[in-house]
Amino acid sequence: MQTYDFDECIARRGTASYKWDSANNDNVLPMWVADMDFRTAPPIIEALQRRVAHGIFGYTRVPATYYDTVIGWMKRRHGWTVRREDIIYTTGVVPALSAIIKATTAPGDKVLVQTPVYNCFFSSIRNNGCILAENRLRFDGQTYHIDFDDLEAKAADPQVKLMILCNPHNPAGRVWTREELTRVGEICLRHGVLVLSDEIHCDLVYPGHKHIPFASLSEEFAQHSATCMSPSKSFNLAGLQIANIFAANAALRKRIDRAININEVCDVNPFGVVGLTAAYNEGEDWLEQLLQYIRKNYLEMKGFCSVHLPEFPIAELEGTYLAWMDCTALHMKSDQLEETLKTEVGLWLNSGRMYGEAGEGFMRWNLACPSQRMMDGLQRFERFVRKRMPAR
């Protein structure tokens, strides 16, 4: 088996990278937006190079082999049997979320989310004229838990038509268990709330945890849900713009397909199709080594913080490559902390406030980078803290 080098520090500045070229100062270390600083798996690069060599990039017809590849990955990786007719391809998970909201709600309806949560949920809800309903997760100092009593109460509101489930959860790092997912599904069924399951991080799960697709739990759950997945996070392919929606209910699938066309995100490019196919067919060894590397980064971060930053707890990381740090010891608003870190020590993290009021006081770190860069970020953060908290 080939061994992949995740320690290589690849220069990304000057490549029109959203992550690296958005800062005004070249000394800023970006550990914010969720893309990785690793080259993707070599079989993906080679497949794309072969496609480029053909030299013609016309409109793409998604072939039968694409569906076979997706079905095979879901079965092999997640034990989930899906049918070809259940799959709708599109350009990304965020466009998919917006289209599903459009298909299943009317302006003025409420959409339930579990905060703190991925910020694009908020804009997709707002852009469709809907109202946010929050089921705040509970943080115990180490990990997050679902407040099921509150979830039941919120789902019982007749204005709530849809719940967006984030699994694995961004930014909390949870991989919801079978029992937790079942309770969520039963509550939503009881109150006629459809579940939209965002499972974009489904392949980024660490030992001791298992991703369980919500729709795989029962036929009833499958009929009352839609699931969004993409190789973009797992294989660092976000720029290729490819994702899939899975909907077993034919009537729901028809409505979603109509919304995908209304929103004009029904066509994909040839590189997305090629990239996904190569990732799922040939990228599994690379993915396994990636998971080991990111897990090592997380444990190194935990070790560093336990010695040098004990006042800053980090949530347990069960899935994703996004570490969630409690920074309330600094007594600064998260947005202010984000800007001050950039200005004073050249470190760019995501403000917890962007994930809702429940994220205030936290910061999100992207650990999908060479260990050397991660340690640089931690040392910058420690310098900042020492300046603010000299009496530690």
Side-chain angles (χ1 to χ4, degrees), residues 114-117 137-148 165-181 184 197-206 208-212 295 298 314-324:
Q114 297 178 302
T115 57
V117 76
L137 300 174
R138 293 184 287 105
F139 185 57
D140 65 7
Q142 292 185 311
T143 193
Y144 279 85
H145 306 275
I146 297 173
D147 183 340
F148 283 103
L165 175 69
C166 192
N167 183 36
H169 193 280
N170 171 18
R174 280 298 316 276
V175 176
W176 303 119
T177 65
R178 179 178 299 273
E179 292 73 24
E180 287 168 322
L181 292 170
V184 168
S197 191
D198 174 3
E199 302 184 13
I200 194 171
H201 292 98
C202 62
D203 302 316
L204 298 166
V205 173
Y206 303 108
H209 306 280
K210 178 177 174 55
H211 176 74
I212 301 170
R295 179 66 178 171
Y298 168 71
I314 302 167
E316 291 297 321
L317 189 66
E318 300 173 357
T320 82
Y321 50 72
L322 305 165
W324 186 240

Side-chain angles (χ1 to χ4, degrees), residues 47-67:
L48 292 169
Q49 288 171 336
R50 289 193 296 271
R51 183 64 184 84
V52 168
H54 181 261
I56 299 175
F57 314 114
Y59 297 116
T60 295
R61 183 179 180 86
V62 176
T65 51
Y66 173 93
Y67 296 94

Side-chain angles (χ1 to χ4, degrees), residues 300-365:
E300 287 179 1
M301 181 184 190
K302 289 274 284 187
F304 181 94
C305 291
S306 68
V307 174
H308 301 284
L309 298 164
E311 303 91 343
F312 297 84
I314 302 167
E316 291 297 321
L317 189 66
E318 300 173 357
T320 82
Y321 50 72
L322 305 165
W324 186 240
M325 176 186 277
D326 183 347
C327 297
T328 52
L330 285 168
H331 303 291
M332 296 176 68
K333 294 290 188 181
S334 293
D335 287 350
Q336 179 191 3
L337 180 55
E338 178 180 333
E339 293 305 315
T340 310
L341 280 169
K342 279 192 284 187
T343 301
E344 294 194 7
V345 294
L347 175 63
W348 193 345
L349 305 177
N350 279 127
S351 162
R353 184 62 181 80
M354 74 187 295
Y355 308 103
E357 290 182 7
E360 183 58 74
F362 289 76
M363 301 297 285
R364 193 187 78 166
W365 295 68

Side-chain angles (χ1 to χ4, degrees), residues 10-66:
I10 301 164
R12 298 188 62 192
R13 192 166 273 120
T15 63
S17 162
Y18 186 67
K19 180 179 182 180
W20 281 85
D21 290 325
S22 293
N24 296 324
N25 185 339
D26 284 354
N27 292 320
V28 170
L29 176 65
M31 298 185 70
W32 61 299
V33 69
D35 79 9
M36 298 191 272
D37 286 337
F38 310 124
R39 283 196 183 92
T40 192
I44 299 173
I45 297 170
E46 293 160 8
L48 292 169
Q49 288 171 336
R50 289 193 296 271
R51 183 64 184 84
V52 168
H54 181 261
I56 299 175
F57 314 114
Y59 297 116
T60 295
R61 183 179 180 86
V62 176
T65 51
Y66 173 93

Side-chain angles (χ1 to χ4, degrees), residues 101 107 111 119-132:
I101 295 171
V111 178
N119 54 295
C120 284
F121 289 2
F122 306 134
S123 55
S124 292
I125 292 167
R126 183 175 60 250
N127 291 344
N128 280 283
C130 293
I131 300 166
L132 179 74

Side-chain angles (χ1 to χ4, degrees), residues 36-108:
M36 298 191 272
D37 286 337
F38 310 124
R39 283 196 183 92
T40 192
I44 299 173
I45 297 170
E46 293 160 8
L48 292 169
Q49 288 171 336
R50 289 193 296 271
R51 183 64 184 84
V52 168
H54 181 261
I56 299 175
F57 314 114
Y59 297 116
T60 295
R61 183 179 180 86
V62 176
T65 51
Y66 173 93
Y67 296 94
D68 295 339
T69 295
V70 172
I71 290 166
W73 181 262
M74 295 307 155
K75 183 65 175 178
R76 185 171 70 254
R77 194 78 188 175
H78 303 296
W80 184 27
T81 301
V82 297
R83 303 172 303 175
R84 173 174 174 170
E85 59 264 32
D86 296 346
I87 303 170
I88 303 171
Y89 59 80
T90 186
T91 57
V93 165
V94 173
L97 294 172
S98 292
I100 295 169
I101 295 171
K102 180 187 286 293
T104 59
T105 65

